[in-house]
Amino acid sequence: MTTTATGPSRRVAIVGGGPAGLMAAEVLSRQGAQVDVYDAMPSVGRKFLLAGVGGMNITHSEPAEPFLSRYGSRSEQLRPWLQAFGGAELREWVHGLGIDTFVGSSGRVFPTAMKAAPLLRAWLQRLREAGVRIHVRHRWQGWSDDGALLLSTPEGDKRVRADAVLLALGGGSWAKLGSDGAWLPRLAERGVEVCPLVPSNCGFDVGWSEHFRSRFAGEPLKSVVLSFTDADGREQRKQGEFVVTEGGVEGSLIYAFSAPLRDAIAAHGSATIHLDLAPGKDLARVTAEVAHPRGSRSLSSHLQSRVGLKGVKMGLLRECLDKDTMSDPQRLAAAIKALPVKLIAPRPLDEAISSGGGVTFAALDERLMLRQLPGVFCAGEMLDWEAPTGGYLLTACFASGRAAGLGVWEWLQTRRPT
Ligand SMILES: Cc1cc2nc3c(=O)[nH]c(=O)nc-3n(C[C@H](O)[C@H](O)[C@H](O)COP(=O)(O)OP(=O)(O)OC[C@H]3O[C@@H](n4cnc5c(N)ncnc54)[C@H](O)[C@@H]3O)c2cc1C
């Protein structure tokens, strides 16, 4: 413990240097805590940097209520974090790092340069200037019998003591970037309630024929409407795009449905989505166009000229429909407007954009402290919430890191310095 002019400073160990852990470090160092961040990898923020590769979508500009609804059954638990630090506050915070943002046509918010690296660089510099110490290649292995954090480092094993500990270890996907989910059994052993980590924002296997796979893997399906009826009979519909993969489907439209699709497959062994391949035309119009005499033209050129279907859309029809349906204009038109595609398995957790499951909200108090382990707090993707892509993941990671950091500080004020 060090002593400053304002009294003894509190030492906080943060394990995990992703957006959640670094945000907690910022909040706590501002309060005057001595903050040490430990990360297993040779540098911090690796998943954050990867998220920036395809265009860093940091948050969303939609109003608070629809924004909150993206967290589904966990919306109410996330409400206080996001009320205090939602999309607008996050944008202001990014601007404070000297990085401009813009709102894309879908309402998604991006840094002007579309990249994460300049933001992370400016942020780490600000954290270091505030006295935050970052220790890379420090892998947390659990606790010693007397309650110290056990860290393995290239210089050997270390024991670290702190007045409070904040775990921000991420979910279970893209393990090579650091978040491998190895913390889950460690917390479970200590009596913390956890749910298994499951893929979220993930692709799915269909099991294409060799013919379809070899011709269309990698092809985007642009502007289709996907509809899915969940176990409670609620139909969800959304227009967007996805990509045909070697074995199935992936991309933003699929990710938007990934949680209910994953749950339906777990419950019933498969899930059937329906695709409207001609969203601009209603069923009556498509039926009339398909039934229009085609003379000597092939079915492909007929559907291309009358309905605008070609390439992968045409391939998908042939892949999913039998010959009888293909030759019956009524049934073919109905299938063009609602083509059933059966998904048989989610892609593995490690390939997913994010994970669901983790530390349950019942295991946490309102400060995000583990009820079973007083003085240990959690934040970020390791908590049991999930959301679609669109900036909602990062926003909740930042907001929960901030909430947990403030929770740590509040809790420390109730304790006598050790
Ligand atoms: C390809 C891809 C694209 C994405 N794009 C977006 C996007 O555009 N918008 C969006 O909102 N979200 C996006 N995400 C999701 C987002 O990046 C994550 O939700 C977010 O990074 C999670 O933050 P976190 O701080 O909770 O955990 P992480 O960022 O995973 O950080 C956890 C940290 O903990 C460290 N760690 C783990 N275990 C240990 C241990 N035992 N000891 C020490 N350190 C440990 C790890 O090394 C890591 O640095 C994307 C994810 C991926 C994979």
Side-chain angles (χ1 to χ4, degrees):
M1 180 181 71
T2 41
T3 305
T4 66
T6 53
S9 104
R10 302 305 189 90
R11 180 142 188 243
V12 181
I14 296 178
V15 193
L22 295 178
M23 186 52 95
E26 175 154 293
V27 165
L28 280 158
S29 65
R30 279 204 187 134
Q31 300 289 347
Q34 171 56 58
V35 180
D36 288 271
V37 176
Y38 301 94
D39 199 288
M41 300 301 283
S43 58
V44 294
R46 292 196 164 200
K47 192 177 271 185
F48 182 65
L49 287 176
L50 179 76
V53 169
M56 150 117 310
N57 176 201
I58 198 147
T59 188
H60 202 283
S61 61
E62 70 187 351
E65 285 308 317
F67 194 115
L68 258 176
S69 72
R70 308 296 171 188
Y71 301 91
S73 61
R74 302 292 184 272
S75 301
E76 284 314 307
Q77 281 96 340
L78 270 71
R79 184 183 287 276
W81 315 342
L82 293 165
Q83 268 176 350
F85 197 78
E89 290 77 13
L90 179 52
R91 274 187 90 183
E92 276 308 300
W93 176 84
V94 173
H95 298 162
L97 285 166
I99 309 282
D100 278 340
T101 58
F102 72 95
V103 181
S105 55
S106 59
R108 294 173 181 224
V109 176
F110 302 87
T112 307
M114 296 292 278
K115 290 185 186 134
L119 194 161
L120 185 61
R121 230 181 355 256
W123 192 15
L124 289 176
Q125 187 182 336
R126 190 164 82 184
L127 288 172
R128 288 201 175 97
E129 283 166 7
V132 172
R133 297 187 295 216
I134 296 178
H135 312 264
V136 293
R137 294 191 166 91
H138 279 59
R139 180 175 296 278
W140 175 64
Q141 305 283 17
W143 286 275
S144 64
D145 290 342
D146 60 353
L149 292 175
L150 294 176
L151 297 158
S152 58
T153 81
E155 296 82 46
D157 293 346
K158 284 187 187 169
R159 287 161 176 251
V160 165
R161 294 192 171 280
D163 297 306
V165 171
L166 193 149
L167 302 177
L169 300 163
S173 72
W174 289 73
K176 66 178 180 191
L177 301 176
S179 50
D180 57 9
W183 51 266
L184 193 131
R186 257 173 232 153
L187 292 186
E189 264 166 33
R190 296 237 153 192
V192 175
E193 189 184 79
V194 288
C195 293
L197 296 175
V198 289
S200 186
N201 294 299
C202 56
F204 290 86
D205 289 334
V206 176
W208 302 125
S209 67
E210 178 53 27
H211 174 78
F212 182 76
R213 184 198 64 74
S214 62
R215 293 195 62 189
F216 296 110
E219 290 280 325
L221 264 133
K222 291 210 171 161
S223 210
V224 291
V225 172
L226 191 161
S227 58
F228 176 64
T229 305
D230 68 18
D232 300 325
R234 278 185 308 248
E235 193 203 36
Q236 300 176 46
R237 292 172 69 80
K238 192 171 162 61
Q239 187 157 352
E241 298 179 8
F242 68 88
V243 177
V244 169
T245 62
E246 292 283 324
V249 289
E250 69 177 23
S252 57
L253 186 59
I254 300 294
Y255 299 159
F257 287 82
S258 64
L261 291 174
R262 176 200 65 214
D263 294 346
I265 293 172
H268 309 293
S270 67
T272 299
I273 56 174
H274 288 89
L275 298 175
D276 179 351
L277 301 177
K281 302 176 179 74
D282 65 18
L283 178 59
R285 163 106 187 266
V286 173
T287 308
E289 297 290 3
V290 174
H292 196 273
R294 69 177 157 105
S296 59
R297 275 194 310 188
S298 69
L299 182 62
S300 296
S301 52
H302 178 64
L303 291 184
Q304 177 168 351
S305 68
R306 305 296 316 185
V307 194
L309 296 186
K310 57 180 179 171
V312 63
K313 284 188 177 175
M314 197 58 220
L316 200 56
L317 281 179
R318 292 196 189 282
E319 175 76 0
C320 299
L321 300 179
D322 56 30
K323 279 209 171 88
D324 288 349
T325 310
M326 289 297 284
S327 53
D328 176 336
Q330 294 277 346
R331 285 164 64 197
L332 178 56
I336 289 170
K337 292 299 289 176
L339 182 70
V341 180
K342 187 168 151 189
L343 311 183
I344 53 176
R347 294 297 302 157
L349 173 59
D350 196 48
E351 291 177 18
I353 298 283
S354 60
S355 52
V359 175
T360 67
F361 282 87
L364 299 160
D365 71 8
E366 64 290 348
R367 292 175 177 143
L368 300 188
M369 184 169 80
L370 292 170
R371 294 182 196 280
Q372 288 290 327
L373 300 174
V376 181
F377 296 70
C378 292
E381 202 183 305
M382 68 184 292
L383 304 185
D384 180 23
W385 57 268
E386 61 183 315
T389 54
Y392 306 106
L393 296 165
L394 282 172
T395 307
C397 290
F398 283 114
S400 66
R402 180 180 176 279
L406 291 173
V408 168
W409 188 250
E410 224 180 86
W411 181 77
L412 286 173
Q413 305 318 298
T414 68
R415 317 268 302 167
R416 287 162 65 90
T418 50

